[in-house]
Amino acid sequence: MPIQFEKVSYTYEKKSPFAHDALKGVDLLLEEGKTSAIVGKTGSGKSTLIQQMNALLNPTEGKVIIGDFINSANKKERSKDLFSLRKKVGMVFQFPEYQLFEDTVEKDVAFGPRNFGMKKEEALQAAHEALRRVGLDESFDKRSPFQLSGGEKRKVAIAGILATKPSILVLDEPTSGLDPASAEETMALFEEIKKDGTTLILVTHDMDLVLKHADQVVVMEEGEIKKVCTPEELFSLSLEEYSLDTPKVYRFAKKAIEKGIPLSLEGLHDVSSLAEALCKALRKEKK
Amino acid sequence: MSSITMGRYVPYRSPIHLLDPRTKLVCLVLLVVSVFLGYANYSTTFLMTGLSLLLVLVLFAMTRMSFLSLLKSLKSLWFMLIFLLLIYAITPRSDNLDWVAFFIYDYPIYWASILDALKILVRLMLMVALSLILTASTKPLDLTAGIEWYLSPIHFLGVNTAAWAMVLSLALRFIPTILEDVQRIMKAQSSRGVDFKRGKLTVRARALISLVVPLVVSSLVRSDELGDAMEGRGYDPRSKRTRYRKLTFHWGDLIALLLCAAFCALCITMSVTSFDPFLTWFGVTVR
Ligand SMILES: Nc1ncnc2c1ncn2[C@@H]1O[C@H](COP(=O)(O)OP(=O)(O)OP(=O)(O)O)[C@@H](O)[C@H]1O
Ligand SMILES: [Mg+2]
């Protein structure tokens, strides 16, 4: 299912002194089966943008088309079947640890699938599967979600969404607050899920993740889309203009080029590809 | 959702906003007393309630709040109306027993029961509306400063009024934060397939639990953190604090006080003397 934004604007608390234009005429196409990263400064409207994708917010102008669901500013045009939309579009929030409420982890993870119509046993099965996928073993099943560490809570919350088997997975800063190893594991998990044909939409401040995992980057600034391109394209530009970080790999490569090593920036997306490019360049130099 | 935020402070500069919080507190008490007085007969009650309603409408317009949204947010009061009707229908007052509205089987429902239930409901609504005007037009901190001022005489009896005022101001301060939490948790649970608006009673109860439990947990966590943060910045409930805001009494305050006192006096006089304007002025006897 692709997601298409057509001239979408969103104003928080319209008609009050608090009115704030969080989105201003956004046109955007997020393709099926790809990973799109949404980046931008704090307050640039990323979270607002993704909440339009499962109709938690309705645009104040324009419309969002998610498969056959239309989330439009016009009430008459707006599709009614929120239930099947939310089943298809799974959303992991910025602070997902605040949604836990059941007395055991497995029940909490099974809560989503149960709501979306699975039988109890089936839902528990899906819950266990999802828990194993995020790397929490059987010993967690019967524990109370409130006694977990912050990172474990986050994993439980992610499992809670995975268990509903969405075809679009929207993640708002999924790795913030996780230790580097867990962050790496979580991202690896998302890569794996993507192989099943799931569309990934990833909001993040971590440019290393963007470079490594994204097929497409959307740069936002003050509620507008500034640029849509591939990560390679974005990071080979000067990024000051968007006040984004350069990924470590690129920073290293650029420094190396400055020092006279003829590195090629093409196909550079993580440490191993950097090492490869470096070896290639050095070998060439020797000859 | 916006209905929940009714009564949150809105920074306009209306005449009501500019009043001293101490004035507004006294005016609130005076007006609430006026609203809850009983009168000679139903017609007089109707007349005086109408007058109060008019006054509240004017105040709403002055504070630039929308009365319509108040009505919308009170939509759920129908439950209360039914409850009141039931009580009054089972225990009708002894007067007016000749005035039957209709029969349910052989059980008479008196007009008096219906009117009494309506009367209570309208009075409650007016009281809520009046307090909303106060909170919408007064910064929470100013409000606590006002309350603290009224409490200051007790200070000499050894009661730590500053600490109590701090408790109050923190409670007020955290209302919007908790409302934000409500919205955030509702969004997270909606993404997991919870429907807060529709469904059978059992389903709705479950939806409510999925909202309330995380809300309580996050509030407890937050208050814990707040306590630490306050101690970290050297807050000591026993020491004397200086004040940044000064409360000042203007001409407008005097006028507001006089107007409210006059209205209250009028209502009390009419109530105590059982004054019946229809009989005295027009010579008609009404119920
Ligand atoms: N509930 C709300 N009411 C009013 N304004 C809001 C609300 N939520 C967000 N905003 C405002 O809308 C703008 C965009 O917010 P948004 O949460 O989409 O930013 P973001 O890009 O996700 O930021 P971050 O990286 O910090 O998560 C911000 O300026 C914010 O202040
Ligand atoms: Mg955000």
Side-chain angles (χ1 to χ4, degrees):
Chain A
M1 260 192 322
I3 300 181
Q4 181 156 16
F5 284 76
E6 286 178 10
K7 298 200 178 52
V8 174
S9 296
Y10 186 82
T11 308
Y12 279 105
E13 318 209 22
K14 222 176 172 174
K15 291 187 201 149
S16 87
F18 303 108
H20 179 93
D21 298 324
L23 295 178
K24 301 167 192 160
V26 169
D27 281 309
L28 181 64
L29 175 70
L30 300 173
E31 282 166 60
E32 188 170 353
K34 295 221 168 141
T35 303
S36 306
I38 300 173
V39 301
K41 262 190 279 192
T42 282
S44 54
K46 306 180 296 291
S47 299
T48 312
L49 184 78
I50 59 170
Q51 284 173 37
Q52 315 282 340
M53 297 179 192
N54 70 349
L56 287 172
L57 299 177
N58 302 119
T60 40
E61 265 167 60
K63 62 179 162 190
V64 189
I65 304 166
I66 311 114
D68 49 11
F69 188 97
I70 300 175
N71 182 12
S72 162
N74 182 349
K75 267 193 186 154
K76 288 202 190 93
E77 202 183 357
R78 203 180 292 162
S79 309
K80 295 285 175 300
D81 192 7
L82 282 173
F83 192 74
S84 48
L85 173 73
R86 294 197 175 140
K87 195 173 164 182
K88 278 182 230 150
V89 184
M91 191 164 297
V92 177
F93 281 85
Q94 211 163 347
F95 305 99
E97 42 275 31
Y98 287 119
Q99 66 186 40
L100 308 175
F101 75 100
E102 293 275 17
D103 51 347
T104 65
V105 166
E106 60 176 9
K107 270 202 217 163
D108 206 286
V109 176
F111 180 64
R114 289 274 283 151
N115 285 332
F116 288 124
M118 272 193 213
K119 295 264 175 323
K120 197 167 180 190
E121 279 70 45
E122 221 181 323
L124 276 178
Q125 174 113 30
H128 291 151
E129 225 169 86
L131 280 167
R132 295 305 94 77
R133 272 190 119 170
V134 296
L136 296 174
D137 58 31
E138 283 84 6
S139 66
F140 283 93
D141 288 357
K142 300 271 187 247
R143 281 176 67 180
S144 155
F146 300 111
Q147 291 167 349
L148 303 178
S149 77
E152 286 162 352
K153 279 185 191 163
R154 181 159 288 222
K155 284 183 180 176
V156 171
I158 293 173
I161 299 295
L162 291 187
T164 66
K165 306 201 173 78
S167 54
I168 299 177
L169 189 55
V170 187
L171 306 155
D172 200 345
E173 311 198 13
T175 57
S176 70
L178 292 183
D179 62 276
S182 296
E184 195 67 29
E185 274 166 33
T186 314
M187 285 314 298
L189 167 68
F190 293 144
E191 282 285 314
E192 199 182 301
I193 289 165
K194 189 185 154 195
K195 284 202 194 104
D196 311 338
T198 308
T199 309
L200 283 186
I201 291 154
L202 176 68
V203 173
T204 185
H205 290 291
D206 186 343
M207 294 306 138
D208 295 322
L209 285 186
V210 173
L211 179 63
K212 189 163 173 191
H213 299 281
D215 302 311
Q216 182 186 26
V217 196
V218 178
V219 183
M220 291 197 67
E221 198 178 292
E222 302 200 345
E224 287 171 9
I225 305 278
K226 280 282 142 169
K227 196 163 181 62
V228 182
C229 59
T230 62
E232 283 88 354
E233 239 177 285
L234 177 69
F235 295 128
S236 51
L237 300 172
S238 112
L239 289 172
E240 270 109 53
E241 165 179 13
Y242 309 120
S243 63
L244 295 173
D245 243 2
T246 310
K248 289 195 197 78
V249 173
Y250 260 73
R251 242 184 291 163
F252 180 91
K254 281 185 178 169
K255 271 271 170 343
I257 294 171
E258 255 174 52
K259 300 251 152 86
I261 302 174
L263 259 182
S264 140
L265 288 178
E266 214 164 293
L268 216 55
H269 59 267
D270 59 2
V271 176
S272 56
S273 57
L274 172 67
E276 231 163 76
L278 196 61
C279 289
K280 217 189 261 168
L282 290 177
R283 259 185 235 125
K284 222 189 257 167
E285 194 113 296
K286 257 188 203 164
K287 280 178 197 165
Chain B
M1 274 313 292
S2 59
S3 59
I4 294 187
T5 49
M6 269 305 281
R8 181 183 53 160
Y9 174 69
V10 189
Y12 288 119
R13 283 183 63 82
S14 77
I16 308 226
H17 281 71
L18 296 178
L19 288 178
D20 188 303
R22 291 169 296 182
T23 312
K24 280 188 269 193
L25 279 165
V26 174
C27 289
L28 176 71
V29 173
L30 288 172
L31 292 181
V32 168
V33 167
S34 328
V35 164
F36 271 87
L37 289 169
Y39 300 100
N41 51 28
Y42 285 114
S43 311
T44 316
T45 307
F46 184 75
L47 183 76
M48 292 311 286
T49 310
L51 217 56
S52 311
L53 187 66
L54 198 69
L55 182 72
V56 169
L57 278 175
V58 170
L59 290 176
F60 253 72
M62 278 173 81
T63 13
R64 297 179 64 180
M65 291 163 78
S66 139
F67 199 75
L68 211 67
S69 56
L70 172 72
L71 284 183
K72 268 191 210 146
S73 68
L74 291 182
K75 229 176 13 195
S76 45
L77 276 188
W78 63 266
F79 181 76
M80 180 132 173
L81 178 66
I82 296 203
F83 184 70
L84 283 170
L85 268 178
L86 212 67
I87 298 234
Y88 279 106
I90 294 168
T91 58
R93 287 219 318 248
S94 52
D95 49 350
N96 276 313
L97 279 191
D98 52 330
W99 200 22
V100 177
F102 52 86
F103 286 93
I104 296 179
Y105 297 108
D106 278 337
Y107 192 81
I109 303 294
Y110 301 101
W111 273 114
S113 307
I114 297 172
L115 288 175
D116 282 339
L118 275 176
K119 186 172 74 185
I120 299 279
L121 198 73
V122 171
R123 284 173 173 181
L124 280 178
M125 195 188 82
L126 287 177
M127 191 184 75
V128 170
L130 284 168
S131 14
L132 286 182
I133 292 172
L134 175 71
T135 50
S137 68
T138 320
K139 288 195 198 92
L141 275 179
D142 285 345
L143 198 57
T144 19
I147 293 171
E148 197 180 339
W149 189 84
Y150 283 114
L151 288 181
S152 52
I154 320 179
H155 184 68
F156 299 107
L157 300 177
V159 181
N160 189 346
T161 47
W164 282 105
M166 175 60 88
V167 169
L168 197 66
S169 77
L170 285 180
L172 287 172
R173 158 66 186 76
F174 275 92
I175 290 172
T177 314
I178 288 173
L179 290 179
E180 258 169 45
D181 272 359
V182 169
Q183 298 212 343
R184 191 164 70 205
I185 297 167
M186 277 177 89
K187 278 179 183 169
Q189 304 299 28
S190 304
S191 304
R192 297 212 277 171
V194 176
D195 191 340
F196 288 97
K197 296 203 184 91
R198 275 177 292 273
K200 281 182 296 191
L201 208 61
T202 49
V203 177
R204 282 235 229 174
R206 219 172 142 60
L208 204 61
I209 293 173
S210 78
L211 172 65
V212 170
V213 173
L215 191 64
V216 170
V217 170
S218 74
S219 303
L220 287 179
V221 169
R222 180 168 286 124
S223 56
D224 215 28
E225 284 169 357
L226 179 77
D228 289 345
M230 281 170 71
E231 251 167 43
R233 292 193 208 170
Y235 174 74
D236 175 6
R238 279 173 301 278
S239 58
K240 195 165 164 50
R241 302 177 71 224
T242 49
R243 187 173 291 290
Y244 171 64
R245 259 174 257 269
K246 285 267 179 291
L247 300 178
T248 43
F249 197 81
H250 296 287
W251 276 106
D253 294 299
L254 190 64
I255 295 170
L257 274 177
L258 286 177
L259 286 177
C260 289
F263 185 72
C264 189
L266 172 76
C267 293
I268 290 180
T269 320
M270 285 189 60
S271 174
V272 171
T273 59
S274 291
F275 182 74
D276 181 355
F278 299 97
L279 186 62
T280 324
W281 293 341
F282 308 113
V284 246
T285 319
V286 287
R287 295 219 185 228

